[in-house]
């Protein structure tokens, strides 16, 4: 059977103080000004939200508690139409005294028929500040009445509808200079935004207006100054369309890859933080969606302000580490003999080490600590398999950072499930360490190694609400060797003590109330996890991980691919009986759903060499091209350009916590063009890269994943074709032979495994000696570095 694989050839101004004056002039008209929102933490104790589970519609009158007992739940005072939804985020708001609608035609029709503005609130179920705003404002009877009487209120789960989120977040960021969740935007009945911000406290505080004040001023302006609001909204929308355009002219070439890659490296090196790794002061970690506490509100602007909305564009902050690290390792593979290449590898490895040693890594669930990178990778996948996996093979969206403390009570606290007090550690690890140079317990060793302090190890500036006072986040402070030396024991004994302590503390933690789990399953995120399992399983030769990858691929095909309609679906949900459910009108997939699943299918093909995954990737790519490709300017739109409810035809031009779908699509097209022998897909990849030429040339740090694709296109991909078993299933070969007729001339020699190394449509002579194959591959890598 032919096995075909490939390898790469190698702001300071705060808008809040301006609010009362800038939002309204003395005569009641809206003031012309512009400001930038600033991230802040309210000084006044914003209360922690109650557990979302306590607000979710319950089929029974009782709720099982962590202790095993049953506690009666009073019937909800209010129930709105979100109770009929499946999104955990929407269900969290099903008992607000707000007449919420989900995003859809019913809400749009109501706004037009009643001639009311729309209040759009966007968030997600594990967003801390979304919970805070709900408890403070959306559960408030007075605010609920103002909203329901004067607005059509729409609640959106940003993970279900990234198209809606992207459009209005673009508006908020462009007009206030910042963004985040919860996002609050006011729209005209035809969905044009005219005012937007993020989190609002319920009442005025210092010079910051509360949500009540904002709502009453908008109501007044809607009644008395509506033409100006609508006109300004239209002007802003036109400015956004102009400012977000990404396109290439016919015949344009991609920018020069070596120069772009070098500039991207230099920009990353400039932002690199040497002591702790990462690429900015904070945050240093990758997250699929960070909630923000920002007060930002658009005020109408004069003509010059509209024209300057996007000129010049501000330099983007460095993306979170994931895409940066992948770029740096690719950069090293091409420049490994240079000082820059060595520096790139050092930055990547040091950042990975610091992430693994820090509080973001769950140390008490870690299996071992010897082969660090492999163990941490497997540890992450173990967590996902254990806590975020559905029996169908899908992946749940997230666990909340907040949870009810072990001491009980309805109030959730940030990090409660994961943090420890020194007294808890001493209580659970009291046994003495035999043979230590001085009297010590297992708790002493554990506390020293992980930086546990009697007063807690969370700095005050990192805990503005006081939720973590006296608590400790486990962070590796010393190597096992130094910890062993500190207590006068052998390294082996220290490692054994730490491993047993972690196991015991993990068991203790399992008795704590678990954080809220968002059981929504997304195609895009499942595609990313599929890639992770396939790649790690292949590199480590771990059959269990590869089997989990196959299970994920089967799940995607069965539950999120409508083969009859040739449509990827965005999401599905866990039902009350643990079955996979779908909403009455499924949400069609967006660009990232197709791109990430295609990438996952390609990775699964390379890991298992089962052609059905390559065949499915080809099928999905054809459908992606039909739905999202921009025939005029090149590149892919994020959502269906024919959807009239989505006002901006966006092409995301920045790799964030997730790589942008266009970045991933560029690599997908290159890989598929080689696997399937389709020159049209190679040309399409070049058109895509040309469309983003301006961004790649000026700020490649915004698109490190796309820079990798650009480098791959420049050097071309190297293919390895192997004949392993001449008697293997001919049907499996059929797909590849139909796509690549030249394979028929590449036969097995002498009854042994035979390899051919191909590049630029030219292949080596057949190779049967492993060392000769190694030499050919190294020569190819060297040629790439020379280029």
């Amino acid at each position: 059977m032919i096995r075909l694989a490939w390898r790469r050839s190698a702001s300071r101004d705060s808008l809040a103080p301006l609010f009362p004056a800038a939002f309204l002039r003395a005569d009641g008209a809206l003031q012309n000004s512009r400001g930038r929102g600033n991230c802040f933490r309210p000084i006044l104790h914003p209360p922690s939200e109650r557990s979302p589970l306590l607000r979710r519609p319950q089929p029974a009158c009782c709720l099982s508690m962590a202790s095993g007992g049953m506690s009666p739940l009073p019937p909800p005072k209010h129930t709105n139409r979100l109770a009929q939804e499946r999104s955990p985020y929407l269900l969290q708001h099903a008992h607000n005294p707000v007449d919420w609608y989900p995003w859809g035609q019913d809400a749009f029709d109501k706004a037009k028929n009643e001639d009311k503005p729309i209040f759009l609130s966007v968030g997600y179920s594990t967003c801390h500040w979304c919970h805070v705003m709900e408890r403070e404002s959306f559960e408030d009877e007075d605010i609920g009445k103002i909203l329901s009487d004067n607005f059509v209120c729409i609640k959106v789960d940003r993970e279900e509808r990234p198209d809606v989120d992207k459009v209005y977040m673009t508006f908020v960021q462009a007009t206030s200079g910042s963004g985040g969740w919860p996002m609050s935007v006011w729209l005209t009945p035809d969905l044009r935004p005219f005012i937007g911000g993020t989190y609002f406290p319920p009442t005025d505080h210092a010079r910051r207006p509360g949500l009540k004040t904002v709502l009453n001023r908008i109501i007044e302006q809607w009644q008395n100054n509506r033409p100006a609001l609508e006109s300004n909204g239209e002007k802003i929308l036109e400015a956004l369309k102009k400012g977000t355009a990404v396109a290439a002219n016919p015949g344009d070439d991609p920018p020069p890859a070596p120069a772009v890659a070098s500039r991207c490296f230099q920009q990353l090196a400039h932002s690199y933080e040497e002591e702790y790794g990462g690429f900015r002061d904070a945050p240093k970690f990758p997250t699929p969606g960070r909630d923000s506490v920002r007060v930002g509100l658009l005020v109408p602007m004069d003509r010059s302000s509209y024209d300057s909305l996007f000129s010049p564009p501000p330099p983007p902050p460095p993306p979170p580490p994931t895409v940066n690290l992948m770029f740096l390792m690719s950069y090293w593979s091409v420049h490994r003999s240079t000082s820059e290449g060595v520096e790139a590898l050092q930055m990547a490895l040091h950042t990975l080490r610091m992430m693994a040693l820090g509080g973001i890594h769950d140390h008490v669930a870690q299996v071992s600590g010897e082969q660090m990178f492999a163990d941490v990778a497997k540890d992450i996948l173990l967590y996902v398999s254990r806590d975020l996996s559905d029996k169908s093979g899908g992946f749940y969206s997230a666990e909340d950072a907040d949870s009810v403390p072990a001491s009980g009570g309805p109030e959730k606290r940030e990090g409660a499930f994961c943090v420890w007090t020194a007294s808890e550690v001493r209580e659970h690890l009291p046994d003495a360490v035999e043979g230590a140079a001085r009297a010590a317990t297992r708790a002493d060793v554990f506390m020293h190694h992980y930086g546990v302090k009697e007063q807690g190890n969370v700095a005050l500036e990192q805990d503005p609400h006081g939720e973590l006072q006296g608590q400790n986040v486990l962070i590796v402070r010393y190597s096992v060797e130094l910890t062993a030396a500190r207590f006068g024991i052998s390294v082996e004994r220290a490692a054994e003590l730490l491993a047993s302590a972690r196991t015991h503390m993990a068991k203790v933690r399992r008795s704590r109330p678990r954080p809220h789990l968002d059981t929504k399953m997304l195609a895009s995120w499942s595609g990313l996890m599929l890639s992770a399992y396939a790649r790690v399983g292949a590199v480590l030769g771990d059959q269990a991980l590869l089997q989990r990858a196959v299970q994920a691929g089967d799940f995607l095909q069965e539950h999120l691919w409508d083969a009859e309609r040739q449509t990827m679906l965005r999401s599905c949900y866990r039902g009350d009986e643990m079955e996979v459910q779908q909403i009455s009108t499924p949400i069609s997939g967006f660009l990232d759903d197709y791109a990430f699943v295609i990438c996952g299918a390609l990775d699964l093909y390379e890991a298992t060499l089962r052609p059905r995954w390559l065949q499915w990737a080809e099928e999905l790519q054809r459908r992606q091209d039909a739905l999202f490709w921009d025939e005029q300017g090149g590149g892919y739109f994020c959502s269906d350009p024919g959807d009239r409810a989505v006002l901006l035809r966006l092409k995301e031009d920045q790799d964030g916590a997730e790589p942008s779908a266009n970045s991933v699509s560029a690599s997908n097209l290159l890989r598929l063009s080689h696997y399937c022998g389709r020159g049209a897909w190679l040309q399409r990849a070049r058109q895509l890269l040309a469309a983003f030429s301006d961004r790649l040339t000026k700020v490649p740090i915004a698109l490190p994943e796309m820079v990798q694709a650009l480098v791959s296109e420049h050097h071309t991909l190297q293919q390895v074709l192997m004949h392993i078993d001449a008697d293997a299933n001919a049907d499996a070969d059929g797909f590849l032979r139909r796509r690549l007729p030249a394979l028929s001339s590449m036969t097995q020699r002498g009854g042994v495994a035979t390899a051919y190394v191909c590049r630029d449509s030219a292949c080596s002579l057949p190779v049967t000696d492993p060392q000769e194959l190694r030499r050919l591959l190294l020569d190819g890598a060297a040629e790439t570095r020379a280029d």
Side-chain angles (χ1 to χ4, degrees):
M1 179 175 66
I2 295 174
R3 295 192 173 186
L4 176 63
W6 71 275
R7 64 191 293 272
R8 296 183 192 275
S9 299
S11 106
R12 291 178 300 177
D13 297 328
S14 174
L15 186 60
L18 304 178
F19 244 140
F23 186 66
L24 287 177
R25 291 204 311 255
D27 59 3
L30 284 166
Q31 176 71 29
N32 289 330
S33 68
R34 185 184 181 197
R36 297 177 66 86
N38 191 34
C39 183
F40 75 97
R41 295 272 186 172
I43 299 173
L44 296 181
H45 54 281
S48 301
E49 75 284 11
R50 295 196 300 270
S51 168
L53 291 177
L54 299 180
R55 296 193 294 271
R56 181 170 176 169
Q58 299 291 329
C61 63
C62 299
L63 179 69
S64 176
M65 305 303 285
S67 62
M70 302 299 289
S71 176
L73 283 177
K77 184 176 179 181
H78 303 278
T79 299
N80 56 56
R81 57 185 56 78
L82 296 186
Q84 305 304 314
E85 297 297 308
R86 294 305 308 169
S87 158
Y89 177 63
L90 300 188
L91 289 171
Q92 287 174 355
H93 295 76
H95 298 301
N96 297 161
V98 178
D99 187 19
W100 289 117
Y101 279 78
W103 179 266
Q105 197 60 47
D106 288 349
F108 308 155
D109 291 344
K110 179 181 174 66
K112 290 180 179 179
N113 294 336
E114 299 183 10
D115 198 29
K116 288 181 177 178
I118 292 170
F119 170 60
L120 175 66
S121 177
V122 182
Y124 53 101
S125 77
T126 58
C127 161
H128 174 76
W129 283 97
C130 300
H131 300 335
V132 172
M133 190 167 178
E134 182 198 2
R135 186 186 189 280
E136 292 178 339
S137 295
F138 300 146
E139 290 186 351
D140 182 273
E141 298 277 352
D142 292 340
I143 291 178
K145 181 172 176 56
I146 295 173
L147 284 168
S148 300
D149 290 349
N150 298 279
F151 302 89
V152 174
C153 303
I154 299 179
K155 177 64 70 172
V156 166
D157 182 339
R158 67 172 294 266
E159 295 166 358
E160 270 192 332
R161 295 302 306 251
D163 55 335
V164 176
D165 178 62
K166 283 185 175 75
V167 167
Y168 295 107
M169 186 60 73
T170 299
F171 164 79
V172 170
Q173 290 176 324
T175 54
S176 71
S178 63
W181 298 276
M183 177 170 64
S184 307
V185 189
W186 285 264
L187 323 175
T188 62
D190 56 0
L191 307 181
R192 284 166 166 73
F194 58 89
I195 289 175
T198 52
Y199 163 85
F200 293 95
T203 57
D204 297 353
H205 171 62
R207 299 176 66 186
R208 291 191 290 266
L211 184 60
K212 280 186 180 179
T213 299
V214 173
L215 291 174
N216 286 325
R217 289 176 177 173
I218 291 175
I219 292 168
E220 179 186 355
Q221 290 298 304
W222 185 256
Q223 294 171 348
N224 301 325
N225 199 25
R226 179 172 171 178
L229 287 181
E230 293 180 327
S231 175
N232 288 331
E234 185 64 33
K235 292 175 183 176
I236 293 168
L237 192 62
E238 289 305 312
L240 289 173
K241 289 178 180 178
K242 177 182 177 182
T244 57
V246 174
N249 296 317
D252 282 357
D253 291 325
V260 169
S262 178
R263 185 172 178 81
C264 186
F265 167 77
Q266 294 296 337
Q267 290 178 343
L268 283 173
H270 181 73
S271 65
Y272 179 67
E273 201 271 288
E274 293 185 354
E275 183 175 4
Y276 296 108
F279 301 94
R280 51 184 168 187
D281 292 338
K284 296 178 182 294
F285 49 86
T287 56
R290 293 181 59 246
D291 51 307
S292 298
V293 196
R294 290 187 173 95
V295 170
L297 191 62
L298 166 72
V299 292
M301 298 173 287
D302 56 27
R303 183 68 255 176
S304 62
S305 297
Y306 290 114
D307 293 337
S308 64
L309 264 178
F310 300 94
S311 180
T322 309
V323 289
N324 292 339
L325 299 179
M326 293 298 293
F327 165 78
L328 288 172
M329 287 187 280
S330 293
Y331 190 82
W332 166 78
S333 71
V334 177
H335 301 86
R336 65 179 68 190
S337 61
T338 69
S339 60
E340 285 191 344
V342 173
E343 184 181 357
L345 183 63
Q346 184 275 329
M347 287 194 292
L349 295 183
H350 180 59
T351 299
L352 286 170
R353 288 192 185 98
M354 298 309 293
M355 290 171 67
L357 297 176
I360 189 175
H361 184 216
D362 186 0
H363 297 285
V364 301
Q366 186 178 6
V367 179
S368 66
E370 299 298 321
Q371 300 175 357
M372 183 179 182
F373 295 121
D375 287 340
V376 173
K378 292 176 70 173
D379 191 34
I380 293 168
L381 297 181
L382 173 64
Y383 159 70
V384 174
S385 294
R386 184 187 64 230
D387 296 340
L388 291 179
S389 287
D390 187 79
K391 64 180 181 180
S392 66
F395 299 101
Y396 300 140
S397 293
E399 279 190 318
D400 208 330
D402 299 3
S403 60
V404 177
S407 57
E411 297 296 326
K412 296 171 69 178
R413 290 181 177 272
E414 188 173 8
F417 185 69
C418 295
V419 295
W420 305 89
T421 63
S423 60
E424 285 178 313
V425 176
R426 295 192 184 282
E427 175 189 352
H428 295 296
L429 301 173
D431 42 314
V433 177
E434 296 182 3
R438 57 187 178 83
T441 65
R442 194 161 48 142
D444 293 325
V445 177
F446 186 86
M447 292 169 66
H448 175 79
H449 189 74
Y450 289 108
V452 176
K453 298 179 180 179
E454 297 294 339
Q455 71 274 22
N457 66 2
V458 180
L460 291 176
E461 60 269 20
Q462 296 176 333
D463 182 30
H465 308 148
E467 293 179 304
L468 297 171
Q469 288 183 3
Q471 302 288 340
N472 289 272
V473 176
L474 301 184
I475 301 172
V476 176
R477 297 297 188 186
Y478 302 97
S479 66
V480 177
E481 290 78 7
L482 287 175
T483 296
R486 172 73 171 78
F487 293 95
I489 57 179
S490 68
V491 174
E492 293 76 13
R493 178 61 174 150
E496 178 187 340
L497 287 170
L498 291 170
S500 64
R502 289 194 300 266
T503 299
H504 184 75
M505 298 303 280
K507 181 179 179 181
V508 171
R509 195 177 65 182
R510 284 196 291 271
S511 66
R512 294 177 172 180
R514 288 203 65 87
H516 157 69
L517 176 66
D518 188 320
T519 57
K520 175 176 69 267
M521 291 169 273
L522 301 175
S524 62
W525 290 3
S526 294
L528 291 173
M529 286 309 308
L530 167 57
S531 286
Y533 277 95
R535 292 180 184 183
V536 176
V539 169
L540 300 182
D542 190 312
Q543 292 302 311
L545 295 181
L546 290 177
Q547 183 54 44
R548 181 66 184 90
V550 171
Q551 187 186 19
D554 290 338
F555 160 80
L556 284 162
Q557 281 194 322
E558 179 179 355
H559 295 289
L560 289 172
W561 172 241
D562 186 336
E564 182 178 347
R565 294 173 51 227
Q566 289 285 287
T567 300
M568 202 82 216
L569 303 179
R570 172 65 178 176
S571 55
C572 58
Y573 310 83
R574 188 180 76 181
D576 295 331
E577 303 299 324
M578 302 297 289
E579 78 281 17
V580 177
Q581 287 189 345
Q582 188 52 266
I583 55 179
S584 57
T585 304
I587 301 170
S588 295
F590 305 104
L591 175 62
D592 59 350
D593 296 302
Y594 285 84
F596 295 169
V597 172
I598 291 168
C599 182
L602 290 173
D603 290 333
L604 188 53
Y605 165 67
E606 292 174 4
T608 64
L609 297 174
R610 298 178 186 174
R612 77 177 179 106
W613 299 117
L614 178 57
Q615 188 169 358
W616 191 39
E618 182 191 50
E619 185 179 12
L620 289 171
Q621 187 64 59
R622 292 178 187 275
R623 189 59 178 152
Q624 176 182 314
D625 291 350
L627 289 172
F628 305 109
W629 180 253
D630 179 6
E631 293 289 351
Q632 282 73 45
Y636 295 96
F637 294 112
C638 294
S639 58
D640 183 356
D643 187 347
R644 295 184 178 180
V646 180
L647 302 183
L648 294 178
R649 304 170 71 193
L650 294 173
K651 300 174 189 172
E652 194 166 13
D653 63 351
Q654 184 166 343
D655 294 326
E658 305 159 15
S660 79
N662 269 290
S663 295
V664 173
S665 293
S667 291
N668 290 346
L669 290 166
L670 291 172
R671 296 164 76 180
L672 281 166
S673 70
H674 286 73
Y675 278 139
C676 302
R678 290 200 56 180
W681 273 340
L682 177 59
Q683 184 57 34
R684 179 153 291 185
R686 290 179 55 81
Q687 289 178 279
L688 188 159
L689 294 168
F692 288 85
S693 181
D694 186 66
R695 194 72 157 167
L696 287 168
T697 301
K698 295 178 180 177
V699 279
I701 193 175
L703 288 165
E705 184 79 11
M706 191 176 289
V707 176
Q708 289 188 76
L710 179 66
V711 172
S712 295
E713 188 278 330
H714 173 76
H715 291 297
T716 74
L717 300 178
Q718 189 168 254
Q719 293 174 293
V720 181
L721 299 93
M722 297 191 69
H723 279 270
I724 296 176
D725 184 356
D727 298 324
N729 188 338
D731 290 338
D733 290 350
F735 174 79
L736 290 173
R737 291 186 186 277
R738 288 193 299 272
R739 298 299 184 272
L740 301 171
L743 293 179
S744 299
S745 63
M746 300 179 188
T747 58
Q748 192 175 32
R749 300 298 174 94
V752 297
T754 304
Y756 297 81
V757 178
C758 304
R759 187 181 182 191
D760 286 332
S761 302
C763 297
S764 70
L765 294 173
V767 178
T768 57
D769 177 40
Q771 293 304 317
E772 177 65 13
L773 175 59
R774 174 183 174 84
R775 185 189 65 77
L776 284 174
L777 295 177
L778 290 176
D779 287 348
E783 184 179 347
T784 294
R785 291 194 292 273
D787 290 343

